[in-house]
Amino acid sequence: MNATDPQPGAARPHTGRRRNEAAHRAILDAALRLLAESDGTPVTIDAIARSAGVGKQTVYRWWPSKGAVLLDALSDRADQDVAGPDTGDLRADLRAFVATTFDAAQQDTTASALRTLVREAARDPHLADLMQSFTATRRTALRELLARGRERGQLRGDADLDLIVDQVYGVFWYRFLLGHAPLDADAADRLAASLVAGAAQ
């Protein structure tokens, strides 16, 4: 036996977890890419599996439907790209959240996917449900950031957090869909400053 050969009974390196993680990532990336490129054509589990280079049953192992895959893909991308800091400074934290939201939504694949989702949700009830679920997760993340600021006394105790969330995403969706004004760092800074000042003690 060569000295470099594994000894009898020696444990072999485990690659299953790495393969699973790679397949999981490939499926999420493929789902987001297909949604961005679909132009109204339904995205199917078969198409997602084929694009990801996996079997259809691999997709169903983790998700019960294509809507669940697409929701997870959108939420995963948002979690990666949008900062949710807790520095103790509400204005800075809010500005970071808003600025990264603005920036992430304008990346090519994400922007195309969001525009497709908004457009097709008007005529596809399943995509409408997906849109509501996705926006609810983003609202929750922002509301939690604001709640931490209120607990620290940086917002009034009676500050309407849901209204502040509406204002942030109202500005975002209005500018994102109509394109009448930029979604840039300056807009994020001015919006965060205005909202915190308006609801501060």
Side-chain angles (χ1 to χ4, degrees), residues 34-107:
L34 289 172
L35 180 60
E37 297 171 351
S38 67
D39 196 28
T41 303
V43 177
T44 65
I45 289 289
D46 282 337
I48 293 170
R50 187 165 53 251
S51 181
V54 302
K56 186 165 63 173
Q57 290 308 311
T58 299
V59 181
Y60 280 121
R61 183 184 310 157
W62 291 310
W63 297 278
S65 66
K66 70 174 184 180
V69 185
L70 293 172
L71 176 59
D72 209 1
L74 286 165
S75 299
D76 175 76
R77 181 60 58 86
D79 288 341
Q80 288 185 62
D81 294 343
V82 177
D86 185 10
T87 66
D89 181 339
L90 177 60
R91 176 175 168 176
D93 290 350
L94 181 58
R95 185 203 175 281
F97 186 100
V98 175
T100 52
T101 296
F102 287 1
D103 184 62
Q106 295 176 94
Q107 296 178 22

Side-chain angles (χ1 to χ4, degrees), residues 21 35 55 67 71 84 109 124 126 148 168 173-174 196:
E21 290 171 351
L35 180 60
L71 176 59
T109 300
D124 185 333
H126 297 295
R148 292 194 296 268
V168 170
W173 285 110
Y174 193 72
V196 172

Side-chain angles (χ1 to χ4, degrees), residues 144-157 161:
E144 289 174 351
L145 184 153
L146 295 169
R148 292 194 296 268
R150 187 169 63 180
E151 289 167 3
R152 292 192 297 262
Q154 295 170 318
L155 296 177
R156 295 191 310 272
L161 302 188

